[in-house]
Amino acid sequence: MNSFLQDRFERQFRMREYNSSVSTEIIAGLTTFATMGYVLAVVPHMMGEAGVPQGAMLTGMVLMIFVTSMAMGLYTNRPFALAPGMGSVAIFSITMVQLQNVPIGVASAIVFLSGVLFILVTVLGIRKLIVMTIPRGIKISISAGVGIFLAVIGMRNAKLLAVNAKKVALSFGDLTQPVVILAAITFVILLVLTARKVRGAALISILAGTVIGIPMGITKIPESIFRMPDSIAPIFFNFDLMGALDLQYLPFLFAFFLPDFFSSFGTAIGIGGKAGFLDKNGDLPGLDKVFHVDSIAATVGSFFTIPVLITYLESGAGVEAGGRTGLTACTTAVAFLLILAVTPLALMIPAAATAPVLIYVGVSMMAGMRNLDYTDIAEYIPAFLCIAFTAYTFNIANGISVAFIAFVLMKVAAGRMNELHKGHYMLALLLAYYFYAIAGVK
């Protein structure tokens, strides 16, 4: 690479400090893009069911992913990409607009208010107090919970797991499906390449799975590769702030804000732990900057009728591929922007080709559990609850919330109130209200 560009990249991203290189970061960024590329199809479709024009939503979403992921890379120098959170997309489209008949403009304004609240919590230093209040055991378990969450998503995308209505549980899917077979083949390719320490193993396995899926009838070759993006005019500033200030919408505000806050925190800690960024207390240096980007992203995204933008779990795939700096996030951002012209090409990557990467990354994030104190019931029980509720309710915020409430209750039950302070009780009450809020908006 041109030495001038190499020097510029080094000054901006400090890759030598992280024992990385430009090529590694670019491969990692493309891996993250390939793994989270499903949002290109899923989010516009879900928002379209609520009456939002799908073409405009796709264009607006891609532009916001580009801007916010680029900001994350340049401002924080972390390999984290952003996109609309699937939970917030479901709340916006299904719960609010389709079931509760909330106008789209009001829903967008509530997302805006949740972003403003996130900004205030960060700027006023309340965020730091909340993070310091969360005990070490829960911080450790967040990474494992995120890991199981990722693995379950991967197994679901691979059709290895399916919902069994009769047993009210997850069970094996139809293992004879071509999708399952393709996922198994791709997983074997990934494991072999990883075992042999091949650079870019995750991205290579995704590409291989996509190609193998063509004769299997899983990978659909698009009729055309190029496509002009739709205008964002129909979704820009579709906004009703005064309507959103109605007190009846307060539960929706908390349903957006708390998952955004704790998902951002959990993802940053979980993936940061995988990348080796955490300090001895299990904290991520520079977490404030990550929150700055997240909170502003949620606020600005609402102007484009986009549900809450969050740091994406799939960034862990890029970290697994060697990404350690903001160049990974910037590469992902550029890939999304370029895909606007060739969207059909990105949409041909089947979920079965990316699922094995999520499973592998998820399993590898369990390592931190060895650092738990298994002699202290007030540490390992909340840790288990954090993992279980994160993985099986498909929500990081649920896991952290249940774990923290259990932590406070167990300290009180054990007569160890001297180990708690007012912040613990206040946060436990706030999280209890969060569960009341989400129960009320379903």
Side-chain angles (χ1 to χ4, degrees):
M1 178 180 285
N2 182 286
S3 59
F4 173 75
L5 288 177
Q6 185 81 37
D7 291 341
R8 287 297 299 270
F9 280 136
E10 178 57 37
R11 283 200 297 272
Q12 175 66 45
F13 299 111
R14 310 193 314 274
M15 285 173 286
R16 291 195 188 96
E17 180 182 325
Y18 293 97
N19 296 316
S20 189
S21 65
V22 172
S23 59
T24 297
E25 297 292 315
I26 290 175
I27 289 173
L30 292 175
T31 301
T32 298
F33 165 75
T35 308
M36 63 186 284
Y38 66 88
V39 300
L40 293 167
V42 176
V43 174
H45 176 73
M46 290 180 67
M47 294 298 286
E49 292 177 341
V52 179
Q54 293 191 40
M57 174 54 60
L58 176 63
T59 303
M61 180 186 69
V62 168
L63 290 176
M64 285 308 302
I65 290 175
F66 169 73
V67 171
T68 56
S69 297
M70 187 68 75
M72 182 69 81
L74 295 175
Y75 179 59
T76 72
N77 199 30
R78 295 300 188 196
F80 305 150
L82 290 88
M86 298 309 297
S88 70
V89 173
I91 292 173
F92 189 114
S93 173
I94 301 172
T95 303
M96 295 180 69
V97 179
Q98 297 180 60
L99 297 181
Q100 300 291 332
N101 297 314
V102 177
I104 291 174
V106 171
S108 294
I110 294 173
V111 173
F112 169 79
L113 291 175
S114 75
V116 170
L117 184 58
F118 197 167
I119 292 174
L120 290 175
V121 164
T122 302
V123 171
L124 296 177
I126 300 173
R127 180 216 63 80
K128 190 171 184 178
L129 290 175
I130 294 174
V131 171
M132 290 175 63
T133 300
I134 295 174
R136 174 178 171 274
I138 295 179
K139 288 177 182 176
I140 291 173
S141 64
I142 286 171
S143 181
V146 169
I148 299 256
F149 185 14
L150 270 178
V152 170
I153 291 174
M155 287 185 276
R156 184 190 65 174
N157 291 351
K159 307 295 185 186
L160 281 169
L161 292 181
V163 176
N164 188 318
K166 293 182 179 179
K167 296 181 179 179
V168 195
L170 292 173
S171 62
F172 270 127
D174 181 357
L175 301 184
T176 64
Q177 291 182 89
V179 170
V180 177
I181 296 171
L182 176 60
I185 293 171
T186 306
F187 194 45
V188 170
I189 293 172
L190 173 62
L191 292 180
V192 170
L193 293 175
T194 303
R196 298 188 65 83
K197 297 182 170 28
V198 175
R199 289 181 60 194
L203 183 59
I204 293 171
S205 69
I206 291 171
L207 294 175
T210 301
V211 173
I212 295 170
I214 295 174
M216 297 178 70
I218 298 172
T219 303
K220 306 298 182 183
I221 300 177
E223 294 180 2
S224 62
I225 295 177
F226 299 100
R227 172 182 145 177
M228 286 295 293
D230 290 22
S231 169
I232 62 171
I235 63 171
F236 181 63
F237 217 73
N238 185 357
F239 208 69
D240 182 3
L241 184 57
M242 294 308 296
L245 294 176
D246 192 318
L247 288 178
Q248 68 173 314
Y249 298 129
L250 186 62
F252 291 118
L253 176 63
F254 277 92
F256 278 132
F257 168 70
L258 287 175
D260 181 23
F261 182 91
F262 283 110
S263 291
S264 298
F265 170 69
T267 300
I269 293 294
I271 298 174
K274 172 66 180 172
F277 294 151
L278 305 187
D279 60 23
K280 62 181 181 180
N281 297 317
D283 294 321
L284 178 69
L287 184 60
D288 275 339
K289 289 187 173 183
V290 175
F291 274 164
H292 290 160
V293 177
D294 255 358
S295 57
I296 294 173
T299 306
V300 176
S302 65
F303 296 145
F304 297 86
T305 319
I306 294 174
V308 180
L309 288 150
I310 62 171
T311 302
Y312 243 52
L313 278 172
E314 285 79 359
S315 300
V319 168
E320 180 62 34
R324 293 295 182 274
T325 76
L327 182 55
T328 293
C330 291
T331 301
T332 302
V334 171
F336 268 103
L337 185 64
L338 293 176
I339 214 64
L340 266 183
V342 290
T343 303
L345 202 61
L347 296 180
M348 70 180 285
I349 299 175
T354 59
V357 176
L358 296 181
I359 297 170
Y360 178 81
V361 172
V363 171
S364 66
M365 291 175 69
M366 297 291 294
M369 292 299 290
R370 65 178 178 271
N371 298 318
L372 268 183
D373 181 3
Y374 289 97
T375 64
D376 184 357
I377 192 172
E379 180 163 319
Y380 67 78
I381 292 296
F384 164 75
L385 292 174
C386 181
I387 294 170
F389 278 85
T390 293
Y392 301 121
T393 67
F394 277 50
N395 191 306
I396 302 171
N398 289 349
I400 296 174
S401 300
V402 170
F404 189 83
I405 293 171
F407 168 79
V408 172
L409 289 176
M410 296 192 73
K411 288 287 187 181
V412 172
R416 295 160 61 182
M417 282 92 76
N418 61 315
E419 299 176 18
L420 301 173
H421 53 72
K422 290 181 180 178
H424 287 110
Y425 297 111
M426 291 177 63
L427 184 56
L429 288 173
L430 178 63
L431 295 177
Y433 178 78
Y434 160 68
F435 285 117
Y436 165 78
I438 62 174
V441 300
K442 288 184 178 178

